[in-house]
Amino acid sequence: YADTAMYQAKKNGRGNFQFYTPEMQVKIKEWLKLEGELRQAIQRNEFVLFYQPQVNLRTGKICGLEALIRWQHPQYGLLSPDRFIPLAEEVGLIIEIGEWVIRTACQQNKSWQDAGLPCVPIAINLSPNQLLQPKIAENIIHILQDSGLEGKYLGIELTENVSMESPDKNLLIMQDLKSCGVRISIDDFGTGYSNLTYLKQFPVDEIKIDKAFVRDMTTDFQDDAITSTVIAIAHTLRLQVVAEGVESLGQISLLSQRQCDVVQGYYFSRPLTTKACTGFLAKDPSLTAMPVTPG
Ligand code: C2E
Ligand code: MG
Ligand code: MG
Ligand code: MG
């Protein structure tokens, strides 16, 4: 997987000598091959969305889904987003792929609702470059209308770095989406260039604490302290808090003590295929799946 070699070659730029080792040539070939395949992947219907349930800690009920893309590559099998989203960003394909994600997630959520399954918001991840698109808010609203899904059943997840880039323009985009009921989350909170002012300026609904803090919070007092502090800030600002990467009952009970609102992670469920998620929603897993400790 060769994007580092490619980035390096690009960074060195024009007028500089660049010596390619045979190994680098092989990697760059692979990279170009993957790019070509990525360009055809939408037409070939090779992308799939997985859906990970989010659970409200007070009620124990499923309260949301996050849509996570995978690429069913004919040769390499199921690829995770970290393997191709950076490439898609680099070559400008993220816009088209991103639109496919939004459309598919909206249509899927609508058809779950039409089937009488629980109505919960579905969140999609928005890349930095997608937010730079001039008509991004209009496009999202258009897709919502096409699918017939109410705006309040769609959420967008942005990283802190995204929201830093051009604050005035981003504010307008967020306001447009908010006026249609779309929910806004700050993803991977605590790992970017945090600027707390943005939480005040932007119409954010939710903070997602990065799994790096959740992982060791039961054993590392610093991670516990950071998590507690983020929860306190969020609640003071009337924002909901989601903890990512929750894998154990110990984490759940500590997060519950710390007044965290929502958990997402392998403990409750891995990201599920459409079919598995349909079954999950149909079973109303809230009744049995997890012990709830009173906050
Ligand atoms: P993210 O938005 O922070 O998503 C959470 C990631 O944590 C997902 O990885 C999920 O599978 C993983 N995860 C969930 N529960 C647990 C757990 O208990 N333990 C651990 N260790 N991990 C857990 P995934 O699906 O590989 O996605 C990675 C990243 O790729 C996402 O991070 C997101 O930034 C990006 N991504 C995913 N789908 C899309 C998409 O449709 N568009 C864009 N632009 N980016 C996407
Ligand atoms: Mg996310
Ligand atoms: Mg995250
Ligand atoms: Mg991430």
Side-chain angles (χ1 to χ4, degrees):
Y1 193 55
D3 44 356
T4 28
M6 196 70 173
Y7 286 137
Q8 200 51 52
K10 280 192 181 166
K11 232 196 304 177
N12 288 350
R14 215 193 283 185
N16 290 325
F17 286 104
Q18 175 67 52
F19 296 98
Y20 295 100
T21 63
E23 205 180 59
M24 276 170 82
Q25 278 176 10
V26 168
K27 283 191 171 173
I28 288 168
K29 260 191 194 154
E30 270 174 20
W31 193 84
L32 292 172
K33 176 170 173 278
L34 206 63
E35 177 187 341
E37 291 165 342
L38 198 59
R39 287 188 187 282
Q40 298 173 308
I42 290 189
Q43 281 71 39
R44 295 182 176 173
N45 227 351
E46 289 172 355
F47 292 118
V48 279
L49 288 186
F50 276 50
Y51 304 93
Q52 190 174 35
Q54 302 171 329
V55 176
N56 183 297
L57 268 182
R58 268 172 287 278
T59 63
K61 283 188 190 301
I62 178 166
C63 62
L65 296 166
E66 179 174 3
L68 297 157
I69 195 170
R70 276 100 183 85
W71 179 9
Q72 186 63 61
H73 190 281
Q75 192 182 341
Y76 307 127
L78 202 62
L79 298 183
S80 74
D82 297 332
R83 293 280 303 278
F84 63 91
I85 290 291
L87 173 62
E89 294 241 14
E90 174 80 359
V91 301
L93 284 168
I94 192 64
I95 305 299
E96 207 186 328
I97 296 173
E99 276 195 20
W100 178 87
V101 169
I102 300 164
R103 191 172 297 278
T104 306
C106 288
Q107 287 171 350
Q108 185 57 61
N109 206 17
K110 181 68 166 74
S111 64
W112 277 324
Q113 294 185 356
D114 289 347
L117 295 168
C119 296
V120 294
I122 193 159
I124 55 110
N125 293 279
L126 223 54
S127 287
N129 290 337
Q130 281 179 276
L131 215 63
L132 295 175
Q133 236 195 313
K135 292 194 171 171
I136 182 66
E138 276 168 82
N139 289 349
I140 293 175
I141 292 162
H142 190 89
I143 292 172
L144 270 172
Q145 285 165 349
D146 274 357
S147 69
L149 187 73
E150 279 181 77
K152 65 176 177 182
Y153 293 119
L154 177 68
I156 59 167
E157 298 192 0
L158 309 166
T159 56
E160 291 165 283
N161 304 349
V162 163
S163 23
M164 301 283 294
E165 265 157 30
S166 42
D168 298 340
K169 219 182 116 249
N170 288 342
L171 179 61
L172 292 176
I173 293 170
M174 290 189 212
Q175 282 169 343
D176 282 352
L177 292 172
K178 286 294 297 181
S179 68
C180 296
V182 175
R183 300 168 49 80
I184 297 172
S185 309
I186 303 297
D187 203 357
D188 304 340
F189 190 82
T191 59
Y193 302 101
S194 315
N195 182 340
L196 295 174
T197 311
Y198 285 78
L199 290 182
K200 185 180 115 182
Q201 283 177 350
F202 291 149
V204 172
D205 299 289
E206 182 180 271
I207 287 175
K208 299 188 77 178
I209 303 178
D210 194 78
K211 52 181 176 291
F213 302 110
V214 176
R215 192 183 55 220
D216 298 324
M217 71 176 290
T218 55
T219 50
D220 182 329
F221 83 94
Q222 290 180 318
D223 287 332
D224 183 20
I226 290 168
T227 303
S228 303
T229 305
V230 171
I231 292 170
I233 291 171
H235 286 170
T236 308
L237 296 171
R238 308 269 183 277
L239 308 177
Q240 174 165 285
V241 189
V242 180
E244 296 187 320
V246 175
E247 297 184 357
S248 73
L249 190 55
Q251 288 166 331
I252 286 180
S253 63
L254 187 56
L255 285 161
S256 180
Q257 274 180 55
R258 301 288 182 249
Q259 313 289 322
C260 184
D261 305 298
V262 176
V263 289
Q264 178 182 345
Y266 297 165
Y267 179 81
F268 196 70
S269 171
R270 290 190 171 257
L272 302 168
T273 61
T274 305
K275 195 170 165 227
C277 193
T278 305
F280 194 92
L281 288 167
K283 253 193 320 196
D284 193 2
S286 61
L287 300 172
T288 50
M290 59 175 279
V292 182
T293 10

